[in-house]
Amino acid sequence: MSFQERKKKILMILDEFEALSVMEISRKLSISPATVRRDLQDLSEEGLLQRTHGGAMKLDNLPFVAFHKKQTANTESKQEIGKLAAAQVVDGDTIFMDCGSTVFAMCAHLKKLNKLKVITNSLPIVAELIDTPGIGINLIGGELDKERRAVHGDMAVQHIDTYHVSKAFVGVDGISLQNGLTAHSEKEAQITKAFLKNAEQVYLLTDSSKIGKDAYVKFGTLKSIHFLITDAQLTGPLKKKIEQEGVRVLQ
Amino acid sequence: MSFQERKKKILMILDEFEALSVMEISRKLSISPATVRRDLQDLSEEGLLQRTHGGAMKLDNLPFVAFHKKQTANTESKQEIGKLAAAQVVDGDTIFMDCGSTVFAMCAHLKKLNKLKVITNSLPIVAELIDTPGIGINLIGGELDKERRAVHGDMAVQHIDTYHVSKAFVGVDGISLQNGLTAHSEKEAQITKAFLKNAEQVYLLTDSSKIGKDAYVKFGTLKSIHFLITDAQLTGPLKKKIEQEGVRVLQ
DNA sequence: CTACATTTGATCAAAAATAATCATTATTAA
DNA sequence: TTAATAATGATTATTTTTGATCAAATGTAG
């Protein structure tokens, strides 16, 4: 039995039982305790279970932790961007929050606010903020994109259109002077577009690696955003040109 | 049992009882008082409970209890009801799933189905089913009830009204011949009512303890449901009378 | 305030689990 | 096929956890 198979099986039986000991897993899968420990360590490092002394436990809100793959890409620069973005929010605000890891990074820095209303289509954001007393959440309804852990589709867009908020915090897959805002997926573009349309101030959060890059779905121009929050890498003529389009750059 | 497991269990029983002595915890979890003290100290340092002389007290603003509490109340009878309800679902169905622990219990038994579409307002259900390949999920949008981990409110009702499905699986807080279906909360009643309205077949899931009891919000008659799925405790004249109202009882 | 009982925190030894090491087996590449 | 590589299981030293003991601290009753 390969590691991938064992990994799957371990997660499956762990889904059924809350907690398992190394020996139990060893017996159930007929593999040695040493291998079980190695597997558990790997799975734990991937964030798929909680390692304990003697075994492993199911993770509570694992299902909503979307970024299994991207989690590694959760760099300091994203945290910085998230912090800066969160600083734009004040008590009593109502904001849109798009899905994506950069916008998600805002969450940690929003928790001290009061009377904040967050409208989002992202389950990880919901999971992160649901137990914060000062924050109320409205969830966009519609079809669930399991991969992205977010709601999308026509119904979601219609739903977003029933709201009007002061600030929207959105992400992109690409932004350039030539093609404006671009995304890898039409569904995602559709949602972000709806956020842009119904917010007075639009904050685009992206690390500098995406600036100057294009994805294949064009969904907005630079004029449709008001602030670009990014890392210190963006400098020189490109920054100037973006600012000339009427975008305020925050770094 | 590892520290992580004990920690969870201590918080769970502490949520049920307001305060506990070291000896009570020691007996309940079959661990020595010394270990209990160590655990309580750790938990206290994490700010998850208030240490007292001789034991510990529950903290008011403890955030994540609601979730686990329901899971604790996951009795065998609920599991049986969930299983029986899940057996009514076939490949290709589109179903409504209400929030509540009894309906939640269906999830474990739905995982082998294919091309199933689940429309729900309950985050625990979404979390449980999101990684099941054969199941697609539509999330009802609207205001999030943090306590119940579900979406409710007018927007949610409007959203539900845009769907029409073959089967709805709903829960109640009370059901009786005199007052029909009742709930503890208007918001919850509103949602369940919307589910009833837009489904061809309505399955009401409840353990027998709620049959014959009333909650204060009346939201439907016995005629508005088609099936009652419950445990074996429901017998005799009451069962007869419910069946005379046109409800098929499944046990 | 004192005496008594209970609880606690510290220390320690026993038990359990782990990480590290190494030989063996299985898999892959050449 | 053979060599090289990776994965597995067994062994052992180390670490962690646990429960017990006991002096000190805290709370309670008289």
Side-chain angles (χ1 to χ4, degrees):
Chain A
M1 189 170 19
S2 71
F3 170 63
Q4 284 81 357
E5 287 174 71
R6 292 199 311 269
K7 173 174 155 174
K8 254 191 195 166
K9 287 196 179 180
I10 289 175
L11 289 175
M12 268 168 58
I13 55 176
L14 199 62
D15 190 51
E16 194 177 345
F17 306 88
E18 279 293 299
L20 286 167
S21 74
V22 170
M23 285 310 292
E24 283 172 324
I25 298 171
S26 166
R27 274 197 299 273
K28 275 181 200 290
L29 303 188
S30 304
I31 49 179
S32 75
T35 305
V36 173
R37 291 202 179 91
R38 274 187 281 252
D39 288 352
L40 291 183
Q41 186 175 6
D42 284 349
L43 288 167
S44 168
E45 278 167 11
E46 288 178 58
L48 297 171
L49 52 75
Q50 160 89 53
R51 188 75 169 85
T52 68
H53 258 250
M57 267 176 67
K58 198 170 158 182
L59 232 41
D60 291 337
N61 49 355
L62 169 64
F64 287 167
V65 180
F67 316 116
H68 295 169
K69 301 150 202 163
K70 292 189 182 174
Q71 213 165 25
T72 35
N74 212 355
T75 58
E76 264 186 48
S77 109
K78 280 191 183 175
Q79 284 301 320
E80 282 299 316
I81 294 170
K83 195 173 176 181
L84 189 53
Q88 314 304 311
V89 184
V90 298
D91 287 352
D93 265 353
T94 296
I95 65 175
F96 283 142
M97 287 179 76
D98 201 0
C99 68
S101 55
T102 314
V103 177
F104 177 83
M106 288 177 70
C107 290
H109 309 282
L110 289 173
K111 297 191 176 181
K112 282 166 199 150
L113 288 167
N114 281 304
K115 295 192 181 174
L116 176 63
K117 189 76 169 178
V118 172
I119 302 174
T120 187
N121 66 322
S122 157
L123 291 180
I125 289 176
V126 171
E128 188 66 23
L129 298 178
I130 193 166
D131 287 318
T132 309
I135 301 181
I137 302 171
N138 274 43
L139 201 51
I140 305 298
E143 193 183 2
L144 185 62
D145 179 343
K146 294 173 163 199
E147 192 68 31
R148 240 186 288 277
R149 314 266 148 164
V151 174
H152 65 195
D154 293 339
M155 181 67 74
V157 171
Q158 278 179 41
H159 189 175
I160 294 170
D161 279 340
T162 66
Y163 293 113
H164 179 82
V165 307
S166 56
K167 295 165 188 166
F169 295 86
V170 302
V172 286
D173 290 318
I175 170 172
S176 69
L177 292 165
Q178 297 77 37
N179 296 304
L181 316 178
T182 50
H184 286 315
S185 135
E186 292 185 17
K187 300 267 187 186
E188 201 174 347
Q190 200 185 14
I191 293 291
T192 307
K193 201 170 170 180
F195 282 141
L196 302 187
K197 179 176 157 196
N198 296 293
E200 282 171 28
Q201 305 256 288
V202 176
Y203 296 77
L204 179 65
L205 280 61
T206 183
D207 53 281
S208 53
S209 69
K210 286 171 186 161
I211 301 175
K213 299 276 163 60
D214 292 322
Y216 82 99
V217 189
K218 289 201 259 184
F219 69 91
T221 65
L222 284 179
K223 295 242 188 287
S224 54
I225 65 172
H226 307 94
F227 296 89
L228 172 63
I229 304 183
T230 187
D231 54 62
Q233 306 277 343
L234 176 66
T235 50
L238 183 55
K239 181 179 171 184
K240 275 259 165 62
K241 290 213 173 172
I242 289 173
E243 286 174 331
Q244 278 165 11
E245 293 284 324
V247 177
R248 277 196 57 195
V249 177
L250 307 176
Q251 285 169 310
Chain B
M1 191 174 13
S2 69
F3 168 64
Q4 288 90 337
E5 287 173 71
R6 293 198 310 269
K7 172 174 154 174
K8 245 194 194 173
K9 290 195 178 173
I10 289 175
L11 289 175
M12 263 158 52
I13 56 175
L14 198 64
D15 186 57
E16 191 176 346
F17 309 88
E18 285 292 300
L20 286 166
S21 75
V22 170
M23 283 311 292
E24 283 172 323
I25 297 172
S26 167
R27 272 196 301 274
K28 274 182 201 289
L29 303 187
S30 304
I31 50 178
S32 75
T35 305
V36 173
R37 292 204 178 89
R38 271 187 284 252
D39 288 351
L40 291 183
Q41 185 175 3
D42 283 347
L43 288 166
S44 167
E45 278 167 10
E46 289 179 55
L48 296 170
L49 52 75
Q50 171 72 52
R51 189 77 168 81
T52 64
H53 279 261
M57 269 175 60
K58 184 179 163 184
L59 277 177
D60 299 333
N61 54 347
L62 198 57
F64 59 87
V65 281
F67 220 40
H68 296 299
K69 196 160 59 176
K70 302 240 168 177
Q71 279 175 350
T72 332
N74 226 348
T75 60
E76 261 187 50
S77 110
K78 281 191 182 176
Q79 282 302 321
E80 282 298 316
I81 294 169
K83 194 172 178 181
L84 188 52
Q88 314 303 312
V89 183
V90 298
D91 285 353
D93 264 352
T94 297
I95 64 175
F96 282 142
M97 288 179 75
D98 202 359
C99 68
S101 55
T102 314
V103 177
F104 178 83
M106 286 177 71
C107 291
H109 310 282
L110 289 173
K111 295 191 177 182
K112 282 165 201 151
L113 287 167
N114 281 306
K115 296 194 180 173
L116 176 63
K117 189 76 169 177
V118 172
I119 303 174
T120 187
N121 66 322
S122 156
L123 290 180
I125 288 176
V126 172
E128 188 65 25
L129 298 178
I130 193 166
D131 285 320
T132 308
I135 301 180
I137 302 172
N138 274 44
L139 200 52
I140 305 298
E143 193 183 3
L144 186 61
D145 179 343
K146 294 172 163 202
E147 192 70 30
R148 240 186 288 277
R149 313 265 151 166
V151 173
H152 65 195
D154 293 338
M155 180 67 74
V157 171
Q158 278 178 42
H159 190 174
I160 294 171
D161 280 339
T162 66
Y163 294 113
H164 178 82
V165 308
S166 55
K167 295 164 188 166
F169 295 86
V170 301
V172 285
D173 289 318
I175 171 172
S176 70
L177 291 166
Q178 297 78 38
N179 296 304
L181 316 177
T182 50
H184 286 316
S185 134
E186 291 185 16
K187 299 267 187 186
E188 201 175 345
Q190 200 184 13
I191 293 292
T192 307
K193 200 170 169 178
F195 282 142
L196 302 187
K197 179 177 157 196
N198 297 293
E200 282 171 28
Q201 306 256 289
V202 176
Y203 297 77
L204 179 65
L205 280 61
T206 183
D207 52 281
S208 52
S209 69
K210 287 170 185 162
I211 302 176
K213 299 274 164 59
D214 292 323
Y216 83 98
V217 188
K218 288 202 259 185
F219 67 90
T221 64
L222 284 180
K223 296 243 186 286
S224 54
I225 67 171
H226 307 94
F227 296 89
L228 172 63
I229 304 182
T230 186
D231 53 63
Q233 305 276 344
L234 176 65
T235 51
L238 183 55
K239 180 179 170 183
K240 273 262 164 63
K241 289 214 175 173
I242 290 173
E243 285 175 332
Q244 277 164 13
E245 293 285 324
V247 177
R248 276 196 58 193
V249 177
L250 307 176
Q251 287 171 308

